[in-house]
Amino acid sequence: MGSVLAGHFRTLGHGLLIANSRGPQTLSQVARKTGATPVAISEVARGVDLLVITIPMKNVPSLPRDLLADLPESSPVVDTGNYYPLRDGRITEIEGGLIESAWTSNVLGRSVVKAFNNIVADSLLHKGLPRGSKGRIALPVSGDDLKSKQLVMALLDQMGFDALDAGPLSESWRYQPGTPAYCPDPMIQELPKLLQRAKRDRAPRNRDQAAKLMTKLPADFPPQELVRVARLSAGLDSLKPRSWIAALRFGIAALRA
Ligand SMILES: NC(=O)c1ccc[n+]([C@@H]2O[C@H](COP(=O)([O-])OP(=O)(O)OC[C@H]3O[C@@H](n4cnc5c(N)ncnc54)[C@H](OP(=O)(O)O)[C@@H]3O)[C@@H](O)[C@H]2O)c1
């Protein structure tokens, strides 16, 4: 996700720093591909206008304690994270019902904007469209700081996606894993209904079932087939034969494993 976002921001003409846990010398390939400048993690947030945290949630607590010390108060912190116990281990507070991005916000000690978590990297890379285009994907953005949220929504629009204000961070559970709005590439007419239909108590079970199946898929299973399956599971496209073919392919691949 980090390199896809970096590519978008670069295309929009923004200066860009990237970092990981292993050091800038390990990021030369991403730098070549995206035009971003690799730096040490301790430098990545210094004085920047926007910070995106896009790492597995289990690693958020291992970010440097003073990561945000020199980040201006006005710069939004965007969280793309999703909680998968299969990958992240069990995080007690989230298991107890805390909203995923609220947990990240608590760990960082800073308000976050939740965005980009419910679109697969392949769609984010390839499916942006100019404003007003038919089939433009809509993505929810939530957060408690209106200015930060609006800035992220404007950025999304420039990247080729409709942005929907999904309310405060307390509402962001509506597009966490296991909900209908998780990764079906919805259009702006579809997204509000999907958010409305989310069932908070059912999402963790749906998420874990999906995650188990995903581990059985071959690494080259086409991401757009996964989007079709997500759309079908969300009650969209049930009259489209391609969706059912995707579901069949998904089932067969999972059974074969
Ligand atoms: N992939 C998707 O399609 C997608 C879509 C939406 C949301 N998301 C969510 O976005 C987050 C990132 O996903 P991803 O698929 O991009 O993960 P990924 O492919 O595993 O990449 C994670 C990146 O984070 C870096 N990293 C890990 N721990 C770090 C740390 N402590 N400090 C600094 N950098 C660290 C890793 O580099 P090093 O290991 O070298 O540090 C790596 O570059 C996850 O929560 C995921 O659920 C993913």
Side-chain angles (χ1 to χ4, degrees), residues 1-3 19-23 26-27 41 53-57 59-64 79-84 87-88 115-122 177 182-183:
M1 280 302 275
S3 59
N20 63 7
S21 67
R22 288 172 298 145
T26 63
L27 286 167
I41 184 85
I53 308 271
T54 182
I55 66 176
M57 286 189 73
N59 295 353
V60 173
S62 66
L63 288 168
D79 172 30
T80 78
N82 292 306
Y83 172 54
Y84 281 102
R87 176 193 67 193
D88 296 317
F116 304 110
N117 73 299
N118 68 327
I119 179 165
V120 297
D122 184 74
Y182 190 69
C183 297

Side-chain angles (χ1 to χ4, degrees), residues 22 35 44 56 62 73-74 82-83 97 99 129 141-142 151 156 188 192-193 197 199 201 218 238 249 251:
R22 288 172 298 145
V44 78
S62 66
E73 275 299 316
S74 56
N82 292 306
Y83 172 54
I99 283 164
L129 289 171
V141 180
S142 58
L151 195 147
L156 255 172
I188 195 71
K193 281 187 210 118
R197 282 187 20 230
K199 298 261 186 293
D201 52 337
S238 53
R249 275 185 83 178

Side-chain angles (χ1 to χ4, degrees), residues 166-234:
L169 206 62
S170 57
E171 285 296 298
S172 65
W173 62 269
R174 294 184 179 278
Y175 53 103
Q176 288 182 175
T179 60
Y182 190 69
C183 297
D185 288 1
M187 281 167 274
I188 195 71
Q189 311 88 295
E190 297 169 331
L191 182 56
K193 281 187 210 118
L194 296 181
L195 293 171
Q196 217 45 53
R197 282 187 20 230
K199 298 261 186 293
R200 199 164 178 177
D201 52 337
R202 284 200 210 148
R205 200 182 54 206
N206 295 343
R207 171 200 66 206
D208 291 344
Q209 278 172 354
K212 251 189 216 157
L213 286 171
M214 294 286 289
T215 61
K216 297 183 174 177
L217 294 182
D220 61 350
F221 192 82
Q224 290 309 315
E225 292 291 82
L226 289 177
V227 173
R228 288 194 181 95
V229 175
R231 286 185 68 78
L232 201 56
S233 316

